[in-house]
């Protein structure tokens, strides 16, 4: 085989560059979100749902980033408060820039995890 290629089969049995395999593994790795990362204003049930969602791509990369620093946590609190108050506007209510990277369906899953009562 040429350098950099493996015999990993994809679909019709084609070759895949070896450099793409770690990217796939990285995409499928669950988010690292220890309990110590949970902000005090976010309930344990909500945090558990977010950790479960963090097992899926793209949340496995996005969720740790939106709870990383103090400014990130405050932006997420504004998002959370907007959801809780019923004043959430999907066009202006995305207080954290990483939330804008999500599709509307991906945002729906995030909202469902953060405010399940909004769907009852």
């Amino acid at each position: 085989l040429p350098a950099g290629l493996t015999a990993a089969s994809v679909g019709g049995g084609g070759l895949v560059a070896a450099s793409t395999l770690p990217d796939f593994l990285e995409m499928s790795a669950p988010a690292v979100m220890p309990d110590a990362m949970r902000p005090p204003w976010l309930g344990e049930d909500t945090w558990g749902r977010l950790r479960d969602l963090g097992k899926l791509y793209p949340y496995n990369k996005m969720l740790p980033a939106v709870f990383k620093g103090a400014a990130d946590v405050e932006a997420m609190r504004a998002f959370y408060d907007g959801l809780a108050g019923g004043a959430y506007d999907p066009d202006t209510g995305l207080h954290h820039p990483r939330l804008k990277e999500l599709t509307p369906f991906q945002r729906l899953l995030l909202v469902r995890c953060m405010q399940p009562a909004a769907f009852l």
Side-chain angles (χ1 to χ4, degrees), residues 42-81:
L42 196 62
E44 289 182 28
D45 289 347
T46 301
W47 186 249
R49 286 189 297 273
L50 288 174
R51 288 177 69 180
D52 287 343
L53 189 63
K55 296 174 184 174
L56 304 171
Y57 179 81
Y59 306 101
N60 61 341
K61 299 298 172 203
M62 189 268 307
L63 286 174
V66 298
F67 290 105
K68 187 173 184 177
D72 298 314
V73 170
E74 284 307 310
M76 287 306 291
R77 183 173 189 158
F79 176 68
Y80 179 82
D81 289 345

PDB file of all heavy atoms in Angstrom, residues 42-81:
ATOM      1  N   LEU A  42     -26.940  25.273  37.572  1.00  0.00           N
ATOM      2  CA  LEU A  42     -27.446  24.219  36.693  1.00  0.00           C
ATOM      3  C   LEU A  42     -27.695  22.959  37.514  1.00  0.00           C
ATOM      4  O   LEU A  42     -26.789  22.445  38.157  1.00  0.00           O
ATOM      5  CB  LEU A  42     -26.414  23.941  35.591  1.00  0.00           C
ATOM      6  CG  LEU A  42     -26.881  23.167  34.375  1.00  0.00           C
ATOM      7  CD1 LEU A  42     -27.981  23.922  33.639  1.00  0.00           C
ATOM      8  CD2 LEU A  42     -25.720  22.935  33.432  1.00  0.00           C
ATOM      9  N   GLY A  43     -28.933  22.506  37.534  1.00  0.00           N
ATOM     10  CA  GLY A  43     -29.297  21.349  38.341  1.00  0.00           C
ATOM     11  C   GLY A  43     -28.575  20.068  37.931  1.00  0.00           C
ATOM     12  O   GLY A  43     -28.126  19.933  36.791  1.00  0.00           O
ATOM     13  N   GLU A  44     -28.485  19.143  38.874  1.00  0.00           N
ATOM     14  CA  GLU A  44     -27.797  17.874  38.610  1.00  0.00           C
ATOM     15  C   GLU A  44     -28.490  17.069  37.520  1.00  0.00           C
ATOM     16  O   GLU A  44     -27.815  16.426  36.714  1.00  0.00           O
ATOM     17  CB  GLU A  44     -27.700  17.056  39.893  1.00  0.00           C
ATOM     18  CG  GLU A  44     -26.723  17.625  40.894  1.00  0.00           C
ATOM     19  CD  GLU A  44     -26.605  16.771  42.143  1.00  0.00           C
ATOM     20  OE1 GLU A  44     -26.831  15.545  42.062  1.00  0.00           O
ATOM     21  OE2 GLU A  44     -26.270  17.336  43.189  1.00  0.00           O
ATOM     22  N   ASP A  45     -29.825  17.093  37.480  1.00  0.00           N
ATOM     23  CA  ASP A  45     -30.545  16.373  36.429  1.00  0.00           C
ATOM     24  C   ASP A  45     -30.209  16.943  35.054  1.00  0.00           C
ATOM     25  O   ASP A  45     -29.962  16.192  34.100  1.00  0.00           O
ATOM     26  CB  ASP A  45     -32.056  16.441  36.649  1.00  0.00           C
ATOM     27  CG  ASP A  45     -32.512  15.615  37.832  1.00  0.00           C
ATOM     28  OD1 ASP A  45     -31.719  14.789  38.337  1.00  0.00           O
ATOM     29  OD2 ASP A  45     -33.665  15.796  38.263  1.00  0.00           O
ATOM     30  N   THR A  46     -30.202  18.260  34.957  1.00  0.00           N
ATOM     31  CA  THR A  46     -29.870  18.916  33.692  1.00  0.00           C
ATOM     32  C   THR A  46     -28.445  18.596  33.293  1.00  0.00           C
ATOM     33  O   THR A  46     -28.162  18.296  32.135  1.00  0.00           O
ATOM     34  CB  THR A  46     -30.065  20.439  33.809  1.00  0.00           C
ATOM     35  OG1 THR A  46     -31.427  20.694  34.155  1.00  0.00           O
ATOM     36  CG2 THR A  46     -29.717  21.152  32.527  1.00  0.00           C
ATOM     37  N   TRP A  47     -27.527  18.644  34.256  1.00  0.00           N
ATOM     38  CA  TRP A  47     -26.127  18.332  33.972  1.00  0.00           C
ATOM     39  C   TRP A  47     -25.989  16.884  33.482  1.00  0.00           C
ATOM     40  O   TRP A  47     -25.243  16.618  32.540  1.00  0.00           O
ATOM     41  CB  TRP A  47     -25.280  18.570  35.211  1.00  0.00           C
ATOM     42  CG  TRP A  47     -23.817  18.403  34.963  1.00  0.00           C
ATOM     43  CD1 TRP A  47     -23.011  17.411  35.434  1.00  0.00           C
ATOM     44  CD2 TRP A  47     -22.977  19.265  34.196  1.00  0.00           C
ATOM     45  NE1 TRP A  47     -21.724  17.604  35.004  1.00  0.00           N
ATOM     46  CE2 TRP A  47     -21.677  18.735  34.238  1.00  0.00           C
ATOM     47  CE3 TRP A  47     -23.196  20.431  33.462  1.00  0.00           C
ATOM     48  CZ2 TRP A  47     -20.597  19.326  33.580  1.00  0.00           C
ATOM     49  CZ3 TRP A  47     -22.130  21.017  32.805  1.00  0.00           C
ATOM     50  CH2 TRP A  47     -20.849  20.472  32.867  1.00  0.00           C
ATOM     51  N   GLY A  48     -26.731  15.985  34.078  1.00  0.00           N
ATOM     52  CA  GLY A  48     -26.694  14.586  33.644  1.00  0.00           C
ATOM     53  C   GLY A  48     -27.184  14.428  32.208  1.00  0.00           C
ATOM     54  O   GLY A  48     -26.602  13.674  31.422  1.00  0.00           O
ATOM     55  N   ARG A  49     -28.257  15.144  31.855  1.00  0.00           N
ATOM     56  CA  ARG A  49     -28.753  15.091  30.475  1.00  0.00           C
ATOM     57  C   ARG A  49     -27.737  15.675  29.505  1.00  0.00           C
ATOM     58  O   ARG A  49     -27.526  15.145  28.410  1.00  0.00           O
ATOM     59  CB  ARG A  49     -30.090  15.817  30.363  1.00  0.00           C
ATOM     60  CG  ARG A  49     -31.255  15.059  30.974  1.00  0.00           C
ATOM     61  CD  ARG A  49     -32.588  15.710  30.652  1.00  0.00           C
ATOM     62  NE  ARG A  49     -32.700  17.049  31.207  1.00  0.00           N
ATOM     63  CZ  ARG A  49     -33.136  17.320  32.440  1.00  0.00           C
ATOM     64  NH1 ARG A  49     -33.501  16.341  33.246  1.00  0.00           N
ATOM     65  NH2 ARG A  49     -33.224  18.567  32.864  1.00  0.00           N
ATOM     66  N   LEU A  50     -27.080  16.772  29.898  1.00  0.00           N
ATOM     67  CA  LEU A  50     -26.060  17.369  29.041  1.00  0.00           C
ATOM     68  C   LEU A  50     -24.863  16.429  28.878  1.00  0.00           C
ATOM     69  O   LEU A  50     -24.301  16.316  27.789  1.00  0.00           O
ATOM     70  CB  LEU A  50     -25.601  18.718  29.595  1.00  0.00           C
ATOM     71  CG  LEU A  50     -26.607  19.854  29.471  1.00  0.00           C
ATOM     72  CD1 LEU A  50     -26.098  21.090  30.196  1.00  0.00           C
ATOM     73  CD2 LEU A  50     -26.915  20.160  28.016  1.00  0.00           C
ATOM     74  N   ARG A  51     -24.484  15.748  29.955  1.00  0.00           N
ATOM     75  CA  ARG A  51     -23.378  14.781  29.852  1.00  0.00           C
ATOM     76  C   ARG A  51     -23.741  13.637  28.919  1.00  0.00           C
ATOM     77  O   ARG A  51     -22.910  13.168  28.150  1.00  0.00           O
ATOM     78  CB  ARG A  51     -23.004  14.261  31.235  1.00  0.00           C
ATOM     79  CG  ARG A  51     -22.297  15.321  32.065  1.00  0.00           C
ATOM     80  CD  ARG A  51     -21.982  14.850  33.439  1.00  0.00           C
ATOM     81  NE  ARG A  51     -20.954  13.829  33.386  1.00  0.00           N
ATOM     82  CZ  ARG A  51     -20.463  13.223  34.448  1.00  0.00           C
ATOM     83  NH1 ARG A  51     -20.926  13.544  35.642  1.00  0.00           N
ATOM     84  NH2 ARG A  51     -19.537  12.319  34.342  1.00  0.00           N
ATOM     85  N   ASP A  52     -24.995  13.193  28.963  1.00  0.00           N
ATOM     86  CA  ASP A  52     -25.439  12.153  28.034  1.00  0.00           C
ATOM     87  C   ASP A  52     -25.398  12.667  26.594  1.00  0.00           C
ATOM     88  O   ASP A  52     -24.969  11.958  25.686  1.00  0.00           O
ATOM     89  CB  ASP A  52     -26.845  11.670  28.373  1.00  0.00           C
ATOM     90  CG  ASP A  52     -26.885  10.805  29.618  1.00  0.00           C
ATOM     91  OD1 ASP A  52     -25.814  10.296  30.043  1.00  0.00           O
ATOM     92  OD2 ASP A  52     -27.983  10.639  30.188  1.00  0.00           O
ATOM     93  N   LEU A  53     -25.849  13.900  26.387  1.00  0.00           N
ATOM     94  CA  LEU A  53     -25.810  14.492  25.056  1.00  0.00           C
ATOM     95  C   LEU A  53     -24.367  14.648  24.575  1.00  0.00           C
ATOM     96  O   LEU A  53     -24.084  14.518  23.386  1.00  0.00           O
ATOM     97  CB  LEU A  53     -26.513  15.849  25.068  1.00  0.00           C
ATOM     98  CG  LEU A  53     -26.756  16.525  23.724  1.00  0.00           C
ATOM     99  CD1 LEU A  53     -27.692  15.686  22.856  1.00  0.00           C
ATOM    100  CD2 LEU A  53     -27.330  17.912  23.932  1.00  0.00           C
ATOM    101  N   GLY A  54     -23.452  14.867  25.506  1.00  0.00           N
ATOM    102  CA  GLY A  54     -22.043  15.015  25.171  1.00  0.00           C
ATOM    103  C   GLY A  54     -21.389  13.741  24.663  1.00  0.00           C
ATOM    104  O   GLY A  54     -20.225  13.762  24.273  1.00  0.00           O
ATOM    105  N   LYS A  55     -22.114  12.665  24.628  1.00  0.00           N
ATOM    106  CA  LYS A  55     -21.590  11.417  24.061  1.00  0.00           C
ATOM    107  C   LYS A  55     -21.720  11.412  22.540  1.00  0.00           C
ATOM    108  O   LYS A  55     -21.202  10.520  21.882  1.00  0.00           O
ATOM    109  CB  LYS A  55     -22.328  10.216  24.651  1.00  0.00           C
ATOM    110  CG  LYS A  55     -22.097  10.063  26.141  1.00  0.00           C
ATOM    111  CD  LYS A  55     -22.944   8.957  26.725  1.00  0.00           C
ATOM    112  CE  LYS A  55     -22.774   8.900  28.240  1.00  0.00           C
ATOM    113  NZ  LYS A  55     -23.675   7.930  28.857  1.00  0.00           N
ATOM    114  N   LEU A  56     -22.420  12.398  22.006  1.00  0.00           N
ATOM    115  CA  LEU A  56     -22.672  12.472  20.567  1.00  0.00           C
ATOM    116  C   LEU A  56     -21.905  13.627  19.938  1.00  0.00           C
ATOM    117  O   LEU A  56     -21.701  14.662  20.558  1.00  0.00           O
ATOM    118  CB  LEU A  56     -24.169  12.682  20.304  1.00  0.00           C
ATOM    119  CG  LEU A  56     -25.127  11.666  20.906  1.00  0.00           C
ATOM    120  CD1 LEU A  56     -26.559  12.140  20.733  1.00  0.00           C
ATOM    121  CD2 LEU A  56     -24.915  10.312  20.271  1.00  0.00           C
ATOM    122  N   TYR A  57     -21.522  13.451  18.686  1.00  0.00           N
ATOM    123  CA  TYR A  57     -20.934  14.535  17.910  1.00  0.00           C
ATOM    124  C   TYR A  57     -22.069  15.419  17.406  1.00  0.00           C
ATOM    125  O   TYR A  57     -23.099  14.900  17.011  1.00  0.00           O
ATOM    126  CB  TYR A  57     -20.142  13.966  16.722  1.00  0.00           C
ATOM    127  CG  TYR A  57     -19.526  15.024  15.866  1.00  0.00           C
ATOM    128  CD1 TYR A  57     -18.330  15.616  16.238  1.00  0.00           C
ATOM    129  CD2 TYR A  57     -20.152  15.453  14.705  1.00  0.00           C
ATOM    130  CE1 TYR A  57     -17.776  16.613  15.467  1.00  0.00           C
ATOM    131  CE2 TYR A  57     -19.599  16.450  13.935  1.00  0.00           C
ATOM    132  CZ  TYR A  57     -18.417  17.027  14.313  1.00  0.00           C
ATOM    133  OH  TYR A  57     -17.873  18.016  13.561  1.00  0.00           O
ATOM    134  N   PRO A  58     -22.004  16.726  17.429  1.00  0.00           N
ATOM    135  CA  PRO A  58     -20.906  17.632  17.720  1.00  0.00           C
ATOM    136  C   PRO A  58     -20.851  18.089  19.167  1.00  0.00           C
ATOM    137  O   PRO A  58     -20.002  18.875  19.558  1.00  0.00           O
ATOM    138  CB  PRO A  58     -21.206  18.827  16.819  1.00  0.00           C
ATOM    139  CG  PRO A  58     -22.693  18.919  16.841  1.00  0.00           C
ATOM    140  CD  PRO A  58     -23.149  17.468  16.868  1.00  0.00           C
ATOM    141  N   TYR A  59     -21.771  17.585  19.985  1.00  0.00           N
ATOM    142  CA  TYR A  59     -21.832  18.031  21.383  1.00  0.00           C
ATOM    143  C   TYR A  59     -20.589  17.643  22.175  1.00  0.00           C
ATOM    144  O   TYR A  59     -20.235  18.316  23.125  1.00  0.00           O
ATOM    145  CB  TYR A  59     -23.080  17.466  22.058  1.00  0.00           C
ATOM    146  CG  TYR A  59     -24.343  17.773  21.315  1.00  0.00           C
ATOM    147  CD1 TYR A  59     -24.943  16.817  20.515  1.00  0.00           C
ATOM    148  CD2 TYR A  59     -24.928  19.031  21.397  1.00  0.00           C
ATOM    149  CE1 TYR A  59     -26.109  17.098  19.813  1.00  0.00           C
ATOM    150  CE2 TYR A  59     -26.091  19.320  20.696  1.00  0.00           C
ATOM    151  CZ  TYR A  59     -26.675  18.353  19.912  1.00  0.00           C
ATOM    152  OH  TYR A  59     -27.821  18.628  19.220  1.00  0.00           O
ATOM    153  N   ASN A  60     -19.931  16.552  21.766  1.00  0.00           N
ATOM    154  CA  ASN A  60     -18.751  16.112  22.502  1.00  0.00           C
ATOM    155  C   ASN A  60     -17.627  17.143  22.434  1.00  0.00           C
ATOM    156  O   ASN A  60     -16.772  17.182  23.303  1.00  0.00           O
ATOM    157  CB  ASN A  60     -18.271  14.743  22.018  1.00  0.00           C
ATOM    158  CG  ASN A  60     -17.864  14.720  20.561  1.00  0.00           C
ATOM    159  OD1 ASN A  60     -18.234  15.584  19.783  1.00  0.00           O
ATOM    160  ND2 ASN A  60     -17.112  13.723  20.187  1.00  0.00           N
ATOM    161  N   LYS A  61     -17.626  17.988  21.441  1.00  0.00           N
ATOM    162  CA  LYS A  61     -16.621  19.053  21.341  1.00  0.00           C
ATOM    163  C   LYS A  61     -17.178  20.395  21.812  1.00  0.00           C
ATOM    164  O   LYS A  61     -16.472  21.204  22.384  1.00  0.00           O
ATOM    165  CB  LYS A  61     -16.133  19.194  19.889  1.00  0.00           C
ATOM    166  CG  LYS A  61     -15.479  17.955  19.361  1.00  0.00           C
ATOM    167  CD  LYS A  61     -14.263  17.626  20.169  1.00  0.00           C
ATOM    168  CE  LYS A  61     -13.701  16.279  19.792  1.00  0.00           C
ATOM    169  NZ  LYS A  61     -12.907  15.706  20.837  1.00  0.00           N
ATOM    170  N   MET A  62     -18.443  20.630  21.575  1.00  0.00           N
ATOM    171  CA  MET A  62     -19.043  21.921  21.870  1.00  0.00           C
ATOM    172  C   MET A  62     -19.340  22.114  23.351  1.00  0.00           C
ATOM    173  O   MET A  62     -19.054  23.163  23.916  1.00  0.00           O
ATOM    174  CB  MET A  62     -20.333  22.060  21.035  1.00  0.00           C
ATOM    175  CG  MET A  62     -20.971  23.429  21.055  1.00  0.00           C
ATOM    176  SD  MET A  62     -22.225  23.725  22.313  1.00  0.00           S
ATOM    177  CE  MET A  62     -23.361  22.411  22.106  1.00  0.00           C
ATOM    178  N   LEU A  63     -19.913  21.111  24.009  1.00  0.00           N
ATOM    179  CA  LEU A  63     -20.328  21.288  25.411  1.00  0.00           C
ATOM    180  C   LEU A  63     -19.178  21.597  26.364  1.00  0.00           C
ATOM    181  O   LEU A  63     -19.311  22.513  27.184  1.00  0.00           O
ATOM    182  CB  LEU A  63     -21.126  20.070  25.883  1.00  0.00           C
ATOM    183  CG  LEU A  63     -22.544  19.989  25.327  1.00  0.00           C
ATOM    184  CD1 LEU A  63     -23.209  18.686  25.737  1.00  0.00           C
ATOM    185  CD2 LEU A  63     -23.374  21.163  25.788  1.00  0.00           C
ATOM    186  N   PRO A  64     -18.038  20.889  26.293  1.00  0.00           N
ATOM    187  CA  PRO A  64     -16.945  21.291  27.198  1.00  0.00           C
ATOM    188  C   PRO A  64     -16.491  22.731  26.946  1.00  0.00           C
ATOM    189  O   PRO A  64     -16.122  23.442  27.882  1.00  0.00           O
ATOM    190  CB  PRO A  64     -15.831  20.291  26.884  1.00  0.00           C
ATOM    191  CG  PRO A  64     -16.530  19.101  26.344  1.00  0.00           C
ATOM    192  CD  PRO A  64     -17.711  19.653  25.581  1.00  0.00           C
ATOM    193  N   ALA A  65     -16.561  23.193  25.704  1.00  0.00           N
ATOM    194  CA  ALA A  65     -16.126  24.555  25.383  1.00  0.00           C
ATOM    195  C   ALA A  65     -17.068  25.606  25.954  1.00  0.00           C
ATOM    196  O   ALA A  65     -16.617  26.681  26.350  1.00  0.00           O
ATOM    197  CB  ALA A  65     -16.010  24.722  23.870  1.00  0.00           C
ATOM    198  N   VAL A  66     -18.365  25.312  26.014  1.00  0.00           N
ATOM    199  CA  VAL A  66     -19.300  26.330  26.503  1.00  0.00           C
ATOM    200  C   VAL A  66     -19.362  26.399  28.026  1.00  0.00           C
ATOM    201  O   VAL A  66     -20.018  27.284  28.568  1.00  0.00           O
ATOM    202  CB  VAL A  66     -20.725  26.158  25.913  1.00  0.00           C
ATOM    203  CG1 VAL A  66     -20.710  26.307  24.412  1.00  0.00           C
ATOM    204  CG2 VAL A  66     -21.362  24.864  26.336  1.00  0.00           C
ATOM    205  N   PHE A  67     -18.693  25.488  28.701  1.00  0.00           N
ATOM    206  CA  PHE A  67     -18.612  25.532  30.164  1.00  0.00           C
ATOM    207  C   PHE A  67     -17.164  25.653  30.636  1.00  0.00           C
ATOM    208  O   PHE A  67     -16.855  25.335  31.768  1.00  0.00           O
ATOM    209  CB  PHE A  67     -19.264  24.285  30.774  1.00  0.00           C
ATOM    210  CG  PHE A  67     -20.751  24.250  30.624  1.00  0.00           C
ATOM    211  CD1 PHE A  67     -21.354  23.420  29.698  1.00  0.00           C
ATOM    212  CD2 PHE A  67     -21.557  25.069  31.396  1.00  0.00           C
ATOM    213  CE1 PHE A  67     -22.728  23.399  29.551  1.00  0.00           C
ATOM    214  CE2 PHE A  67     -22.932  25.060  31.255  1.00  0.00           C
ATOM    215  CZ  PHE A  67     -23.514  24.219  30.329  1.00  0.00           C
ATOM    216  N   LYS A  68     -16.282  26.123  29.766  1.00  0.00           N
ATOM    217  CA  LYS A  68     -14.846  26.141  30.065  1.00  0.00           C
ATOM    218  C   LYS A  68     -14.426  27.303  30.973  1.00  0.00           C
ATOM    219  O   LYS A  68     -13.802  27.099  31.988  1.00  0.00           O
ATOM    220  CB  LYS A  68     -14.061  26.197  28.757  1.00  0.00           C
ATOM    221  CG  LYS A  68     -12.587  26.045  28.929  1.00  0.00           C
ATOM    222  CD  LYS A  68     -11.899  25.950  27.582  1.00  0.00           C
ATOM    223  CE  LYS A  68     -10.426  25.700  27.759  1.00  0.00           C
ATOM    224  NZ  LYS A  68      -9.765  25.546  26.484  1.00  0.00           N
ATOM    225  N   GLY A  69     -14.761  28.513  30.604  1.00  0.00           N
ATOM    226  CA  GLY A  69     -14.325  29.683  31.369  1.00  0.00           C
ATOM    227  C   GLY A  69     -15.494  30.451  31.958  1.00  0.00           C
ATOM    228  O   GLY A  69     -16.660  30.172  31.668  1.00  0.00           O
ATOM    229  N   ALA A  70     -15.193  31.450  32.760  1.00  0.00           N
ATOM    230  CA  ALA A  70     -16.237  32.229  33.430  1.00  0.00           C
ATOM    231  C   ALA A  70     -17.138  32.943  32.426  1.00  0.00           C
ATOM    232  O   ALA A  70     -18.359  32.969  32.590  1.00  0.00           O
ATOM    233  CB  ALA A  70     -15.602  33.235  34.386  1.00  0.00           C
ATOM    234  N   ALA A  71     -16.568  33.517  31.370  1.00  0.00           N
ATOM    235  CA  ALA A  71     -17.376  34.217  30.362  1.00  0.00           C
ATOM    236  C   ALA A  71     -18.272  33.232  29.622  1.00  0.00           C
ATOM    237  O   ALA A  71     -19.433  33.550  29.307  1.00  0.00           O
ATOM    238  CB  ALA A  71     -16.470  34.963  29.380  1.00  0.00           C
ATOM    239  N   ASP A  72     -17.747  32.031  29.365  1.00  0.00           N
ATOM    240  CA  ASP A  72     -18.539  30.992  28.699  1.00  0.00           C
ATOM    241  C   ASP A  72     -19.732  30.587  29.565  1.00  0.00           C
ATOM    242  O   ASP A  72     -20.857  30.466  29.084  1.00  0.00           O
ATOM    243  CB  ASP A  72     -17.681  29.746  28.418  1.00  0.00           C
ATOM    244  CG  ASP A  72     -16.525  30.033  27.493  1.00  0.00           C
ATOM    245  OD1 ASP A  72     -16.739  30.694  26.461  1.00  0.00           O
ATOM    246  OD2 ASP A  72     -15.411  29.584  27.798  1.00  0.00           O
ATOM    247  N   VAL A  73     -19.474  30.382  30.845  1.00  0.00           N
ATOM    248  CA  VAL A  73     -20.531  29.956  31.768  1.00  0.00           C
ATOM    249  C   VAL A  73     -21.600  31.037  31.891  1.00  0.00           C
ATOM    250  O   VAL A  73     -22.799  30.739  31.910  1.00  0.00           O
ATOM    251  CB  VAL A  73     -19.931  29.584  33.143  1.00  0.00           C
ATOM    252  CG1 VAL A  73     -21.014  29.366  34.174  1.00  0.00           C
ATOM    253  CG2 VAL A  73     -19.055  28.341  33.019  1.00  0.00           C
ATOM    254  N   GLU A  74     -21.197  32.300  31.927  1.00  0.00           N
ATOM    255  CA  GLU A  74     -22.173  33.389  32.015  1.00  0.00           C
ATOM    256  C   GLU A  74     -23.026  33.477  30.747  1.00  0.00           C
ATOM    257  O   GLU A  74     -24.223  33.752  30.821  1.00  0.00           O
ATOM    258  CB  GLU A  74     -21.486  34.721  32.298  1.00  0.00           C
ATOM    259  CG  GLU A  74     -21.056  34.862  33.744  1.00  0.00           C
ATOM    260  CD  GLU A  74     -22.199  34.601  34.740  1.00  0.00           C
ATOM    261  OE1 GLU A  74     -23.299  35.186  34.585  1.00  0.00           O
ATOM    262  OE2 GLU A  74     -22.010  33.796  35.659  1.00  0.00           O
ATOM    263  N   ALA A  75     -22.413  33.243  29.590  1.00  0.00           N
ATOM    264  CA  ALA A  75     -23.180  33.241  28.337  1.00  0.00           C
ATOM    265  C   ALA A  75     -24.192  32.103  28.343  1.00  0.00           C
ATOM    266  O   ALA A  75     -25.334  32.269  27.911  1.00  0.00           O
ATOM    267  CB  ALA A  75     -22.238  33.132  27.146  1.00  0.00           C
ATOM    268  N   MET A  76     -23.803  30.948  28.858  1.00  0.00           N
ATOM    269  CA  MET A  76     -24.728  29.822  28.940  1.00  0.00           C
ATOM    270  C   MET A  76     -25.818  30.080  29.974  1.00  0.00           C
ATOM    271  O   MET A  76     -26.950  29.652  29.797  1.00  0.00           O
ATOM    272  CB  MET A  76     -23.982  28.527  29.259  1.00  0.00           C
ATOM    273  CG  MET A  76     -23.182  27.988  28.087  1.00  0.00           C
ATOM    274  SD  MET A  76     -24.153  27.750  26.577  1.00  0.00           S
ATOM    275  CE  MET A  76     -25.188  26.372  27.053  1.00  0.00           C
ATOM    276  N   ARG A  77     -25.467  30.802  31.033  1.00  0.00           N
ATOM    277  CA  ARG A  77     -26.501  31.135  32.025  1.00  0.00           C
ATOM    278  C   ARG A  77     -27.552  32.048  31.408  1.00  0.00           C
ATOM    279  O   ARG A  77     -28.750  31.888  31.657  1.00  0.00           O
ATOM    280  CB  ARG A  77     -25.889  31.778  33.258  1.00  0.00           C
ATOM    281  CG  ARG A  77     -26.951  32.052  34.299  1.00  0.00           C
ATOM    282  CD  ARG A  77     -26.416  32.517  35.600  1.00  0.00           C
ATOM    283  NE  ARG A  77     -27.515  32.522  36.557  1.00  0.00           N
ATOM    284  CZ  ARG A  77     -27.355  32.468  37.847  1.00  0.00           C
ATOM    285  NH1 ARG A  77     -26.160  32.396  38.359  1.00  0.00           N
ATOM    286  NH2 ARG A  77     -28.391  32.476  38.647  1.00  0.00           N
ATOM    287  N   ALA A  78     -27.123  33.005  30.591  1.00  0.00           N
ATOM    288  CA  ALA A  78     -28.078  33.888  29.917  1.00  0.00           C
ATOM    289  C   ALA A  78     -28.970  33.077  28.980  1.00  0.00           C
ATOM    290  O   ALA A  78     -30.184  33.319  28.906  1.00  0.00           O
ATOM    291  CB  ALA A  78     -27.331  34.975  29.146  1.00  0.00           C
ATOM    292  N   PHE A  79     -28.405  32.100  28.299  1.00  0.00           N
ATOM    293  CA  PHE A  79     -29.179  31.213  27.424  1.00  0.00           C
ATOM    294  C   PHE A  79     -30.180  30.407  28.257  1.00  0.00           C
ATOM    295  O   PHE A  79     -31.360  30.331  27.930  1.00  0.00           O
ATOM    296  CB  PHE A  79     -28.215  30.294  26.668  1.00  0.00           C
ATOM    297  CG  PHE A  79     -28.873  29.264  25.799  1.00  0.00           C
ATOM    298  CD1 PHE A  79     -29.565  29.637  24.661  1.00  0.00           C
ATOM    299  CD2 PHE A  79     -28.782  27.916  26.100  1.00  0.00           C
ATOM    300  CE1 PHE A  79     -30.162  28.687  23.844  1.00  0.00           C
ATOM    301  CE2 PHE A  79     -29.369  26.962  25.299  1.00  0.00           C
ATOM    302  CZ  PHE A  79     -30.067  27.348  24.163  1.00  0.00           C
ATOM    303  N   TYR A  80     -29.704  29.841  29.354  1.00  0.00           N
ATOM    304  CA  TYR A  80     -30.538  29.035  30.249  1.00  0.00           C
ATOM    305  C   TYR A  80     -31.671  29.877  30.848  1.00  0.00           C
ATOM    306  O   TYR A  80     -32.826  29.455  30.876  1.00  0.00           O
ATOM    307  CB  TYR A  80     -29.658  28.441  31.346  1.00  0.00           C
ATOM    308  CG  TYR A  80     -30.380  27.592  32.356  1.00  0.00           C
ATOM    309  CD1 TYR A  80     -30.662  26.262  32.075  1.00  0.00           C
ATOM    310  CD2 TYR A  80     -30.757  28.104  33.593  1.00  0.00           C
ATOM    311  CE1 TYR A  80     -31.310  25.463  33.012  1.00  0.00           C
ATOM    312  CE2 TYR A  80     -31.403  27.319  34.524  1.00  0.00           C
ATOM    313  CZ  TYR A  80     -31.676  26.000  34.229  1.00  0.00           C
ATOM    314  OH  TYR A  80     -32.320  25.209  35.146  1.00  0.00           O
ATOM    315  N   ASP A  81     -31.340  31.080  31.319  1.00  0.00           N
ATOM    316  CA  ASP A  81     -32.350  31.968  31.903  1.00  0.00           C
ATOM    317  C   ASP A  81     -33.392  32.367  30.865  1.00  0.00           C
ATOM    318  O   ASP A  81     -34.576  32.484  31.182  1.00  0.00           O
ATOM    319  CB  ASP A  81     -31.704  33.203  32.514  1.00  0.00           C
ATOM    320  CG  ASP A  81     -30.926  32.893  33.784  1.00  0.00           C
ATOM    321  OD1 ASP A  81     -31.117  31.794  34.353  1.00  0.00           O
ATOM    322  OD2 ASP A  81     -30.111  33.743  34.192  1.00  0.00           O
TER     323      ASP A  81
END
